[in-house]
Amino acid sequence: MRPDTPAENVDHSAEAARLERTAGLYPEDAEALLLQAAAHLELAGDRPAASTLYDRLLSSGTHLDNPHLVRALKASNLWEYGHEAEARAIIDGIRGAAPRDPAPWVIVAEALESHDELEAAQETFTEGVRLLLTDVAEPPYSTHPLLFGRHRVRRMLGAAHDEWDALADVLHSSPVSLDELHDPKRVWSLGSENPAELEAEISRLRAELGTYRQALSRPFPVAVLHWPADELTELVAAYPSLAAEYPSHETHLATIEASLRELATSGTANLGIVTGTVPSYEAFAASEGTSPGDTDLLPQYATTLAARGRAVAWPPQRGAGCWCGSGRAYEACHGHTHG
């Protein structure tokens, strides 16, 4: 589905089938593609079929990039069609595993929230926030939903603001404050006959919709292309015209980090890195009817890899390995900043 395709014009069952076929063509991307397919099946109302896809991934025997995310999505889906006990067991397992990715935390906390388990939802959001954001100077974009969700649930519970709620307020960019958006009394105004109250609620809803649209307008990360050392050596040897683009592997890695930092400084969110291979790049060039030596093809290749779910978020979470593959922690490698 193209990102600009209106949701009401999508045949979700057909789109799920297309994504399953594509996963068969690109087994290295099956995880991301099948997760998208499962999402379409949920939207089509076929939740058992979506669960089958989640189970297919979890039992495949192949390495999953985000196993906790798959389990979280499975739990959320199961609870929606009556399998509460199994969903709760999975959620407990995810909380116990303490994943370093914010997405599973958000999904399981929202599942609890949607079933009126507000105290448990607050505890889950808070566990994720403490794990991922303690002593972090600038919360990564991917962690913002954790803070916003926690703020929302605490507002519903009538809890007093704390330092994490204050941080959520700072990160929130909508002209309508989080306190207004998350006000439990908002729903009362929907039944009001007072034009002023209705107009105020419409303004809040528009602001909230604008925030969702902003998030959805970038369905894939702004991705920068990374070549491992051996792949870059093979690439430049086969296509000498790319030597000017890649004078050395060390320069290539430094350029990636500098480019991402510049994008982040300019306010660009949802940044990521995709890793290329020469066979994959050559196949892409053939599909485009273009020579692999054409430098204009490189950003297109990066965008295509990101669209196939191959991007990893930048910067890495605190304590995670560097994106370059050195084996060192990001903070001790390309994430190191000099005084």
Side-chain angles (χ1 to χ4, degrees), residues 227 234-235 238-239 277-287 290 292 301:
W227 296 98
E234 182 181 344
L235 179 73
Y239 307 102
T277 66
V278 174
S280 168
Y281 179 60
E282 290 175 334
F284 176 71
S287 71
T290 305
Y301 175 54

Side-chain angles (χ1 to χ4, degrees), residues 257 261 322 329-339:
E257 183 69 24
R261 292 191 183 199
C322 189
Y330 173 66
E331 293 84 356
C333 193
H334 283 90
H336 178 67
T337 54
H338 299 280

Side-chain angles (χ1 to χ4, degrees), residues 301-319:
Y301 175 54
T303 300
T304 299
L305 289 178
R308 284 167 49 190
R310 303 302 292 173
V312 295
W314 179 95
Q317 291 293 318
R318 182 167 58 91

Side-chain angles (χ1 to χ4, degrees), residues 87-333:
R88 286 183 181 277
I90 296 172
I91 289 172
D92 289 343
I94 291 170
R95 292 175 66 177
R100 306 293 305 188
D101 176 12
W105 289 103
V106 172
I107 290 165
V108 297
E110 288 185 345
L112 291 163
E113 178 189 359
S114 68
H115 292 278
D116 296 324
E117 300 278 350
L118 296 183
E119 290 286 358
Q122 179 192 210
E123 291 171 6
T124 305
F125 275 124
T126 300
E127 287 173 18
V129 165
R130 285 176 177 162
L131 176 69
L132 299 177
L133 295 180
T134 298
D135 297 327
V136 173
E138 185 66 30
Y141 181 78
S142 61
T143 63
H144 291 190
L146 263 179
L147 288 164
F148 297 157
R150 182 179 182 274
H151 185 290
R152 180 180 61 249
V153 171
R154 287 170 56 78
R155 190 80 171 85
M156 294 291 291
L157 289 169
H161 269 38
D162 62 10
E163 60 180 322
W164 297 119
D165 292 320
L167 179 58
D169 288 330
V170 170
L171 295 173
H172 179 64
S173 59
S174 170
V176 178
S177 71
L178 283 180
D179 276 342
E180 285 190 72
L181 289 176
H182 298 161
D183 186 351
K185 296 180 181 178
R186 283 178 58 198
V187 69
W188 298 353
S189 66
L190 293 176
S192 172
E193 295 182 0
N194 185 324
E197 290 184 356
L198 287 171
E199 185 175 349
E201 180 59 20
I202 289 170
S203 296
R204 295 189 193 99
L205 290 171
R206 281 177 175 165
E208 194 166 18
L209 180 59
T211 301
Y212 281 120
R213 281 178 173 167
Q214 184 179 21
L216 292 172
S217 67
R218 201 185 306 283
F220 309 116
V222 175
V224 175
L225 181 59
H226 162 236
W227 296 98
D230 55 346
E231 294 289 342
L232 187 62
T233 298
E234 182 181 344
L235 179 73
V236 174
Y239 307 102
S241 60
L242 298 180
E245 183 78 13
Y246 301 117
S248 72
H249 189 249
E250 182 178 5
T251 301
H252 169 53
L253 299 182
T255 299
I256 290 173
E257 183 69 24
S259 298
L260 288 165
R261 292 191 183 199
E262 183 177 350
L263 286 167
T265 301
S266 69
T268 304
N270 205 18
L271 298 171
I273 297 176
V274 290
T275 299
T277 66
V278 174
S280 168
Y281 179 60
E282 290 175 334
F284 176 71
S287 71
E288 294 292 310
T290 305
S291 167
D294 183 357
T295 57
D296 290 339
L297 193 64
L298 296 168
Q300 297 176 44
Y301 175 54
T303 300
T304 299
L305 289 178
R308 284 167 49 190
R310 303 302 292 173
V312 295
W314 179 95
Q317 291 293 318
R318 182 167 58 91
C322 189
W323 54 264
C324 72
S326 65
R328 290 179 289 170
Y330 173 66
E331 293 84 356
C333 193

